[in-house]
Short mmCIF file of all heavy atoms in Angstrom, two decimals:
data_model
loop_
_atom_site.label_atom_id
_atom_site.label_comp_id
_atom_site.label_asym_id
_atom_site.label_seq_id
_atom_site.Cartn_x
_atom_site.Cartn_y
_atom_site.Cartn_z
N ALA D 309 -19.95 -12.70 15.04
CA ALA D 309 -20.59 -11.53 14.43
C ALA D 309 -21.80 -11.07 15.23
O ALA D 309 -22.00 -9.86 15.42
CB ALA D 309 -21.01 -11.86 12.99
N GLU D 310 -22.59 -12.01 15.72
CA GLU D 310 -23.76 -11.65 16.53
C GLU D 310 -23.33 -10.97 17.83
O GLU D 310 -23.93 -9.97 18.26
CB GLU D 310 -24.60 -12.89 16.82
CG GLU D 310 -25.45 -13.36 15.65
CD GLU D 310 -26.58 -12.40 15.36
OE1 GLU D 310 -27.61 -12.43 16.07
OE2 GLU D 310 -26.43 -11.58 14.42
N MET D 311 -22.30 -11.51 18.47
CA MET D 311 -21.80 -10.89 19.70
C MET D 311 -21.28 -9.47 19.42
O MET D 311 -21.54 -8.54 20.18
CB MET D 311 -20.69 -11.75 20.32
CG MET D 311 -21.18 -13.01 21.00
SD MET D 311 -19.88 -13.84 21.96
CE MET D 311 -19.11 -14.84 20.69
N ALA D 312 -20.55 -9.31 18.31
CA ALA D 312 -20.01 -8.00 17.95
C ALA D 312 -21.13 -7.02 17.65
O ALA D 312 -21.09 -5.86 18.10
CB ALA D 312 -19.08 -8.14 16.74
N ARG D 313 -22.13 -7.47 16.90
CA ARG D 313 -23.26 -6.60 16.54
C ARG D 313 -23.96 -6.07 17.79
O ARG D 313 -24.25 -4.86 17.90
CB ARG D 313 -24.24 -7.39 15.68
CG ARG D 313 -25.51 -6.64 15.31
CD ARG D 313 -26.40 -7.50 14.42
NE ARG D 313 -26.92 -8.67 15.11
CZ ARG D 313 -28.00 -8.66 15.90
NH1 ARG D 313 -28.65 -7.53 16.11
NH2 ARG D 313 -28.43 -9.77 16.47
N LEU D 314 -24.22 -6.94 18.73
CA LEU D 314 -24.95 -6.55 19.94
C LEU D 314 -24.09 -5.69 20.87
O LEU D 314 -24.56 -4.69 21.42
CB LEU D 314 -25.42 -7.81 20.67
CG LEU D 314 -26.51 -8.61 19.95
CD1 LEU D 314 -26.68 -9.99 20.57
CD2 LEU D 314 -27.83 -7.85 19.98
N THR D 315 -22.83 -6.08 21.03
CA THR D 315 -21.95 -5.33 21.94
C THR D 315 -21.69 -3.92 21.43
O THR D 315 -21.73 -2.95 22.20
CB THR D 315 -20.62 -6.09 22.13
OG1 THR D 315 -20.89 -7.39 22.66
CG2 THR D 315 -19.71 -5.35 23.09
N GLU D 316 -21.40 -3.79 20.14
CA GLU D 316 -21.09 -2.48 19.58
C GLU D 316 -22.30 -1.54 19.61
O GLU D 316 -22.19 -0.36 19.94
CB GLU D 316 -20.58 -2.63 18.14
CG GLU D 316 -19.16 -3.18 18.05
CD GLU D 316 -18.14 -2.27 18.70
OE1 GLU D 316 -18.15 -1.05 18.45
OE2 GLU D 316 -17.32 -2.78 19.47
N SER D 317 -23.47 -2.05 19.25
CA SER D 317 -24.66 -1.19 19.27
C SER D 317 -25.00 -0.76 20.69
O SER D 317 -25.40 0.39 20.93
CB SER D 317 -25.85 -1.91 18.63
OG SER D 317 -26.14 -3.12 19.30
N THR D 318 -24.83 -1.65 21.64
CA THR D 318 -25.10 -1.31 23.04
C THR D 318 -24.10 -0.28 23.55
O THR D 318 -24.47 0.63 24.30
CB THR D 318 -25.06 -2.58 23.92
OG1 THR D 318 -26.01 -3.53 23.41
CG2 THR D 318 -25.41 -2.25 25.36
N HIS D 319 -22.84 -0.40 23.12
CA HIS D 319 -21.84 0.58 23.56
C HIS D 319 -22.16 1.97 23.02
O HIS D 319 -21.94 2.98 23.71
CB HIS D 319 -20.44 0.15 23.12
CG HIS D 319 -19.35 0.91 23.82
ND1 HIS D 319 -18.91 0.59 25.09
CD2 HIS D 319 -18.64 2.00 23.46
CE1 HIS D 319 -17.98 1.43 25.46
NE2 HIS D 319 -17.79 2.30 24.49
N ASN D 320 -22.68 2.03 21.82
CA ASN D 320 -23.09 3.34 21.28
C ASN D 320 -24.21 3.95 22.11
O ASN D 320 -24.22 5.17 22.35
CB ASN D 320 -23.52 3.18 19.82
CG ASN D 320 -22.35 3.28 18.86
OD1 ASN D 320 -21.91 4.35 18.49
ND2 ASN D 320 -21.81 2.12 18.48
N TRP D 321 -25.16 3.16 22.54
CA TRP D 321 -26.23 3.65 23.41
C TRP D 321 -25.66 4.10 24.75
O TRP D 321 -26.06 5.13 25.31
CB TRP D 321 -27.28 2.54 23.61
CG TRP D 321 -28.56 2.99 24.26
CD1 TRP D 321 -28.89 4.23 24.72
CD2 TRP D 321 -29.72 2.18 24.52
NE1 TRP D 321 -30.15 4.26 25.25
CE2 TRP D 321 -30.68 3.00 25.14
CE3 TRP D 321 -30.01 0.83 24.29
CZ2 TRP D 321 -31.93 2.51 25.54
CZ3 TRP D 321 -31.25 0.36 24.69
CH2 TRP D 321 -32.20 1.20 25.30
N LEU D 322 -24.69 3.34 25.27
CA LEU D 322 -24.04 3.69 26.53
C LEU D 322 -23.31 5.02 26.41
O LEU D 322 -23.40 5.87 27.31
CB LEU D 322 -23.08 2.57 26.92
CG LEU D 322 -22.23 2.77 28.17
CD1 LEU D 322 -23.11 2.98 29.41
CD2 LEU D 322 -21.32 1.55 28.38
N GLU D 323 -22.61 5.24 25.32
CA GLU D 323 -21.91 6.52 25.13
C GLU D 323 -22.91 7.66 24.97
O GLU D 323 -22.66 8.78 25.46
CB GLU D 323 -20.99 6.44 23.91
CG GLU D 323 -19.75 5.58 24.15
CD GLU D 323 -18.82 5.56 22.97
OE1 GLU D 323 -19.32 5.54 21.81
OE2 GLU D 323 -17.58 5.55 23.17
N TRP D 324 -24.02 7.43 24.29
CA TRP D 324 -25.06 8.46 24.16
C TRP D 324 -25.59 8.85 25.54
O TRP D 324 -25.73 10.05 25.85
CB TRP D 324 -26.21 7.93 23.29
CG TRP D 324 -27.36 8.89 23.17
CD1 TRP D 324 -27.52 9.89 22.26
CD2 TRP D 324 -28.53 8.96 24.02
NE1 TRP D 324 -28.70 10.56 22.47
CE2 TRP D 324 -29.34 10.02 23.55
CE3 TRP D 324 -28.96 8.22 25.13
CZ2 TRP D 324 -30.55 10.35 24.15
CZ3 TRP D 324 -30.18 8.57 25.72
CH2 TRP D 324 -30.95 9.61 25.24
N THR D 325 -25.84 7.85 26.39
CA THR D 325 -26.34 8.12 27.74
C THR D 325 -25.29 8.88 28.55
O THR D 325 -25.61 9.81 29.29
CB THR D 325 -26.70 6.80 28.45
OG1 THR D 325 -27.67 6.10 27.67
CG2 THR D 325 -27.25 7.06 29.84
N THR D 326 -24.03 8.50 28.40
CA THR D 326 -22.94 9.18 29.10
C THR D 326 -22.88 10.65 28.68
O THR D 326 -22.69 11.54 29.52
CB THR D 326 -21.59 8.50 28.80
OG1 THR D 326 -21.69 7.09 29.08
CG2 THR D 326 -20.48 9.09 29.65
N TYR D 327 -23.07 10.92 27.40
CA TYR D 327 -23.06 12.29 26.90
C TYR D 327 -24.21 13.10 27.51
O TYR D 327 -24.03 14.27 27.86
CB TYR D 327 -23.16 12.30 25.37
CG TYR D 327 -23.13 13.69 24.78
CD1 TYR D 327 -21.95 14.43 24.73
CD2 TYR D 327 -24.29 14.28 24.28
CE1 TYR D 327 -21.93 15.70 24.18
CE2 TYR D 327 -24.29 15.55 23.74
CZ TYR D 327 -23.10 16.26 23.69
OH TYR D 327 -23.08 17.53 23.17
N GLN D 328 -25.38 12.49 27.63
CA GLN D 328 -26.51 13.19 28.25
C GLN D 328 -26.20 13.52 29.71
O GLN D 328 -26.45 14.64 30.18
CB GLN D 328 -27.79 12.34 28.16
CG GLN D 328 -28.20 11.91 26.76
CD GLN D 328 -28.21 13.04 25.76
OE1 GLN D 328 -28.76 14.11 26.02
NE2 GLN D 328 -27.59 12.83 24.61
N LEU D 329 -25.65 12.56 30.45
CA LEU D 329 -25.26 12.81 31.84
C LEU D 329 -24.24 13.93 31.94
O LEU D 329 -24.24 14.73 32.87
CB LEU D 329 -24.69 11.52 32.46
CG LEU D 329 -25.68 10.40 32.77
CD1 LEU D 329 -24.94 9.10 33.07
CD2 LEU D 329 -26.59 10.77 33.94
N ASN D 330 -23.37 13.99 30.94
CA ASN D 330 -22.28 14.97 30.94
C ASN D 330 -22.78 16.38 30.65
O ASN D 330 -22.15 17.36 31.06
CB ASN D 330 -21.25 14.57 29.88
CG ASN D 330 -19.85 14.55 30.42
OD1 ASN D 330 -19.64 14.36 31.61
ND2 ASN D 330 -18.88 14.74 29.55
N THR D 331 -23.87 16.51 29.91
CA THR D 331 -24.30 17.82 29.43
C THR D 331 -25.59 18.32 30.07
O THR D 331 -25.98 19.47 29.85
CB THR D 331 -24.48 17.78 27.90
OG1 THR D 331 -25.37 16.71 27.54
CG2 THR D 331 -23.14 17.55 27.20
N MET D 332 -26.27 17.50 30.82
CA MET D 332 -27.51 17.90 31.49
C MET D 332 -27.22 18.34 32.93
O MET D 332 -26.25 17.89 33.54
CB MET D 332 -28.51 16.74 31.53
CG MET D 332 -29.12 16.36 30.21
SD MET D 332 -30.28 14.97 30.43
CE MET D 332 -30.91 14.83 28.74
N THR D 333 -28.08 19.18 33.46
CA THR D 333 -28.03 19.45 34.89
C THR D 333 -28.50 18.20 35.63
O THR D 333 -29.13 17.31 35.03
CB THR D 333 -28.96 20.63 35.27
OG1 THR D 333 -30.32 20.24 34.99
CG2 THR D 333 -28.60 21.88 34.49
N LYS D 334 -28.23 18.14 36.91
CA LYS D 334 -28.64 16.97 37.69
C LYS D 334 -30.16 16.82 37.66
O LYS D 334 -30.69 15.70 37.52
CB LYS D 334 -28.15 17.11 39.14
CG LYS D 334 -28.44 15.89 39.99
CD LYS D 334 -27.86 16.03 41.38
CE LYS D 334 -28.17 14.82 42.23
NZ LYS D 334 -27.62 14.94 43.60
N PHE D 335 -30.87 17.95 37.76
CA PHE D 335 -32.34 17.88 37.74
C PHE D 335 -32.84 17.38 36.40
O PHE D 335 -33.73 16.53 36.32
CB PHE D 335 -32.94 19.27 38.02
CG PHE D 335 -34.44 19.32 37.88
CD1 PHE D 335 -35.25 18.80 38.88
CD2 PHE D 335 -35.03 19.85 36.74
CE1 PHE D 335 -36.64 18.82 38.74
CE2 PHE D 335 -36.41 19.87 36.59
CZ PHE D 335 -37.22 19.36 37.60
N GLU D 336 -32.26 17.89 35.30
CA GLU D 336 -32.70 17.47 33.97
C GLU D 336 -32.41 15.98 33.74
O GLU D 336 -33.24 15.26 33.19
CB GLU D 336 -32.00 18.30 32.90
CG GLU D 336 -32.50 17.99 31.48
CD GLU D 336 -31.81 18.84 30.42
OE1 GLU D 336 -30.84 19.55 30.74
OE2 GLU D 336 -32.25 18.78 29.25
N ALA D 337 -31.23 15.54 34.19
CA ALA D 337 -30.88 14.13 34.02
C ALA D 337 -31.82 13.23 34.81
O ALA D 337 -32.27 12.19 34.32
CB ALA D 337 -29.44 13.89 34.45
N THR D 338 -32.14 13.63 36.04
CA THR D 338 -33.07 12.86 36.86
C THR D 338 -34.44 12.80 36.20
O THR D 338 -35.11 11.76 36.19
CB THR D 338 -33.18 13.46 38.27
OG1 THR D 338 -31.88 13.47 38.89
CG2 THR D 338 -34.14 12.67 39.14
N LEU D 339 -34.86 13.93 35.63
CA LEU D 339 -36.19 14.01 35.00
C LEU D 339 -36.25 13.18 33.72
O LEU D 339 -37.22 12.45 33.49
CB LEU D 339 -36.51 15.48 34.69
CG LEU D 339 -37.84 15.75 33.98
CD1 LEU D 339 -39.01 15.43 34.91
CD2 LEU D 339 -37.90 17.20 33.53
N LYS D 340 -35.22 13.28 32.89
CA LYS D 340 -35.29 12.71 31.54
C LYS D 340 -34.72 11.31 31.38
O LYS D 340 -35.14 10.56 30.50
CB LYS D 340 -34.56 13.63 30.55
CG LYS D 340 -35.24 14.95 30.29
CD LYS D 340 -34.45 15.74 29.24
CE LYS D 340 -35.13 17.05 28.88
NZ LYS D 340 -34.34 17.80 27.87
N LEU D 341 -33.73 10.94 32.19
CA LEU D 341 -32.96 9.75 31.88
C LEU D 341 -33.36 8.49 32.65
O LEU D 341 -32.79 7.42 32.42
CB LEU D 341 -31.47 10.02 32.12
CG LEU D 341 -30.84 11.07 31.20
CD1 LEU D 341 -29.35 11.22 31.51
CD2 LEU D 341 -31.03 10.70 29.74
N GLY D 342 -34.31 8.61 33.56
CA GLY D 342 -34.72 7.43 34.33
C GLY D 342 -35.17 6.28 33.45
O GLY D 342 -34.74 5.13 33.61
N GLY D 343 -36.01 6.58 32.47
CA GLY D 343 -36.50 5.55 31.57
C GLY D 343 -35.40 5.01 30.67
O GLY D 343 -35.32 3.80 30.42
N HIS D 344 -34.56 5.90 30.17
CA HIS D 344 -33.48 5.47 29.28
C HIS D 344 -32.46 4.58 29.98
O HIS D 344 -32.02 3.56 29.43
CB HIS D 344 -32.77 6.69 28.69
CG HIS D 344 -33.54 7.35 27.59
ND1 HIS D 344 -33.62 6.83 26.32
CD2 HIS D 344 -34.28 8.49 27.57
CE1 HIS D 344 -34.37 7.60 25.56
NE2 HIS D 344 -34.79 8.62 26.29
N THR D 345 -32.07 4.96 31.21
CA THR D 345 -31.09 4.13 31.92
C THR D 345 -31.70 2.79 32.30
O THR D 345 -30.99 1.77 32.32
CB THR D 345 -30.56 4.84 33.18
OG1 THR D 345 -31.65 5.27 34.00
CG2 THR D 345 -29.72 6.04 32.81
N ALA D 346 -32.99 2.76 32.58
CA ALA D 346 -33.66 1.50 32.89
C ALA D 346 -33.64 0.57 31.67
O ALA D 346 -33.29 -0.61 31.76
CB ALA D 346 -35.10 1.75 33.34
N LEU D 347 -34.00 1.11 30.50
CA LEU D 347 -33.99 0.31 29.28
C LEU D 347 -32.57 -0.10 28.89
O LEU D 347 -32.34 -1.22 28.42
CB LEU D 347 -34.64 1.08 28.14
CG LEU D 347 -36.15 1.33 28.27
CD1 LEU D 347 -36.64 2.20 27.11
CD2 LEU D 347 -36.92 0.01 28.30
N LEU D 348 -31.62 0.80 29.10
CA LEU D 348 -30.23 0.48 28.78
C LEU D 348 -29.72 -0.65 29.66
O LEU D 348 -28.98 -1.53 29.19
CB LEU D 348 -29.35 1.73 28.95
CG LEU D 348 -27.85 1.53 28.71
CD1 LEU D 348 -27.59 1.02 27.28
CD2 LEU D 348 -27.10 2.83 28.97
N LYS D 349 -30.10 -0.63 30.93
CA LYS D 349 -29.66 -1.72 31.81
C LYS D 349 -30.20 -3.06 31.34
O LYS D 349 -29.48 -4.07 31.31
CB LYS D 349 -30.09 -1.47 33.26
CG LYS D 349 -29.62 -2.59 34.19
CD LYS D 349 -30.02 -2.39 35.63
CE LYS D 349 -29.47 -3.52 36.50
NZ LYS D 349 -30.08 -4.83 36.22
N ALA D 350 -31.48 -3.10 30.96
CA ALA D 350 -32.06 -4.34 30.44
C ALA D 350 -31.34 -4.77 29.16
O ALA D 350 -31.06 -5.96 28.95
CB ALA D 350 -33.55 -4.16 30.18
N GLN D 351 -31.03 -3.82 28.30
CA GLN D 351 -30.30 -4.12 27.07
C GLN D 351 -28.93 -4.72 27.39
O GLN D 351 -28.53 -5.75 26.82
CB GLN D 351 -30.13 -2.85 26.24
CG GLN D 351 -29.19 -2.96 25.05
CD GLN D 351 -29.77 -3.73 23.88
OE1 GLN D 351 -30.92 -4.13 23.92
NE2 GLN D 351 -28.96 -3.95 22.86
N CYS D 352 -28.20 -4.09 28.28
CA CYS D 352 -26.85 -4.54 28.61
C CYS D 352 -26.85 -5.95 29.19
O CYS D 352 -26.01 -6.78 28.81
CB CYS D 352 -26.19 -3.58 29.60
SG CYS D 352 -25.71 -1.99 28.88
N THR D 353 -27.76 -6.23 30.11
CA THR D 353 -27.74 -7.54 30.75
C THR D 353 -28.25 -8.64 29.81
O THR D 353 -27.78 -9.78 29.87
CB THR D 353 -28.55 -7.53 32.06
OG1 THR D 353 -29.90 -7.10 31.81
CG2 THR D 353 -27.92 -6.59 33.07
#
Side-chain angles (χ1 to χ4, degrees):
E310 283 290 280
M311 286 190 274
R313 176 178 66 83
L314 292 166
T315 301
E316 286 298 312
S317 59
T318 303
H319 194 81
N320 273 278
W321 191 358
L322 177 59
E323 288 182 323
W324 177 88
T325 302
T326 307
Y327 181 74
Q328 304 311 312
L329 288 167
N330 230 26
T331 54
M332 290 180 176
T333 64
K334 185 176 179 181
F335 174 77
E336 185 179 8
T338 301
L339 178 68
K340 290 183 177 180
L341 296 181
H344 283 284
T345 53
L347 292 176
L348 177 59
K349 181 180 182 293
Q351 170 75 4
C352 287
T353 56

